[in-house]
Amino acid sequence: MGWRPQGPVARPLLRHVVSIGPGPYAMAVCYNGRGNVNSGQNGNLRPMDFTTSCVHSANKSRLPRTRNMPWWMLAALVFLLVAGACRSPQAENPTSPSPALPPPDNRPGPPIAPDISSLPPREQQLVVWAPDFLEAGADDRERAILAAAYQRFEQAHNGVNLEVHIKAQFGTASMGNYLRSAQRVAPAILPDLVLLDTQQLWPLVDVGLIQPLDVANEVQIADFYQFTLDAVTYQGQVYGIPYLADVIHLVYDPNRVNPAPPTWEELLQRGPSYLMPLGGSDGYGNDSLLLQYVGAGGQLLENGGLSNPEALQAVLAFLHQAHSRGILPDTALTLADLDAVWTAFHAGAGAMAHVSAHTFLQDDGAGNGLGYAQVPTRQGLPATIARTWAFAILTNDPARRTLALALVQELLAPEVQGEWTALAHYLPSRRNSLEAWPDHGGYLDFLSRQLEVAVALPNGRAFAEFSRNIQSLQQAVLRGELTPEEALLQMEAAAEP
């Protein structure tokens, strides 16, 4: 689906790039939408500017998306490029028929210095890196809203060319990996501004890529939900401007359970099958487990401390009891994340399950007759864990920081943030932007209450270690290797200095 802004909105240029090989040294193929392959100047291969999906420039025309190209066509284009690069200048046209190309070798090769000389003058650019969800699945209205905001920014800052590079959130080609690699080998290619999950924020702060914001002079924090501000705070300083959020709540089948039980006790008494992700293998406590800890009276601390040992033991005891009674089925122990939970719930594996608001909105859960409620907690008190995506400024140049902040303010306007998040099925970081959403019936009011009580995951290595330990102990209890009491003793021992 293309990005076709309507009305007076400029039609942006999108260069779609396919990386060959991981890391910042990857070479790339640009498909320009006219049957041509751009491989650098004079047809020679050269390293690209860390772009893995597309580049937006608000004053050019839109070209077709590479993502829509058949895989066999893309493979052929890659082969033609590589073959052409290996020929002498007198070789035949590289677009002549060639045998099929075997799968590329993704092992990293020797470092290739990026060709900085080919980049446009940075004085005339503001470069932004953003996650791939800004592109994936976006319809024309979403793209038109962003394109109009980009155009207004460029019109207000004459001579500034805005470039938005789309980056993956996860994997070897993730934004975090690219940023750290660029810092080491090509700092001139680093963007001025990034939009990232705040759990990727603190590692970049630790390596000196992101500097704190001047809250008094650079950022106005009024009207942000409190959890979004907590999510961008690390070691007492603010490092980002919150933009998007997501929360966890309960989804249930009204034909199997109605209403949903608000407390652990009622859940254990009534016994509806209950799905949550308990099979994570990445070594970190998932958000659903931490939600239950918060709901039982625990606090998530940046220093990684165990704020409420009794609450943790209660959570582990509840999970053990629910599993032994079959309320938490064995299936739950194999589910690594909320996406897996949603798939299992739709397959009938549970009467109720944890779900992200993003998924519930995207799949029109309420419109499909599904119920929603807060996650059952120890005493029935509302609790949820939130994820936040925030803008962070990398440039230290005062003029460029001012430009970056001006762009963020444009995107935070309720008519931009509110309408775009409603279409993209993410939650806005500000209350007045949620008020700009269309009516979702009672679900919108429910989301508003969830956002007011949401808790952010703390930043830092110490909390990451706490999360890793709690995940490991939860799995040991459910496998029958430890009792809840034994698990608590191990957690307390790990928390000792």
Side-chain angles (χ1 to χ4, degrees), residues 263-265 267-268 274 276 292 313-324 327-328 376 478 484:
T263 65
W264 293 350
E265 181 179 8
L267 173 61
L268 293 172
Y274 177 36
M276 56 186 289
Q292 291 292 3
Q313 182 174 329
V315 170
L316 296 175
F318 160 68
L319 295 176
H320 180 264
Q321 192 173 7
H323 180 238
S324 64
I327 295 171
L328 275 173
L478 292 179

Side-chain angles (χ1 to χ4, degrees), residues 39 41 188 201 217 251 280 284 297-298 307 321 442 454:
S39 58
Q41 297 177 347
L201 190 64
N217 299 310
V251 59
Y284 292 90
S307 63
Q321 192 173 7

Side-chain angles (χ1 to χ4, degrees), residues 260-320:
T263 65
W264 293 350
E265 181 179 8
E266 189 172 342
L267 173 61
L268 293 172
Q269 289 174 350
R270 293 168 57 187
S273 51
Y274 177 36
L275 298 178
M276 56 186 289
L278 297 173
S281 59
D282 60 358
Y284 292 90
N286 62 67
D287 296 1
S288 289
L289 176 61
L290 296 171
L291 187 161
Q292 291 292 3
Y293 175 60
V294 169
Q299 289 182 292
L300 305 183
L301 304 177
E302 186 178 299
N303 65 10
L306 181 59
S307 63
N308 192 329
E310 190 272 337
L312 177 58
Q313 182 174 329
V315 170
L316 296 175
F318 160 68
L319 295 176
H320 180 264

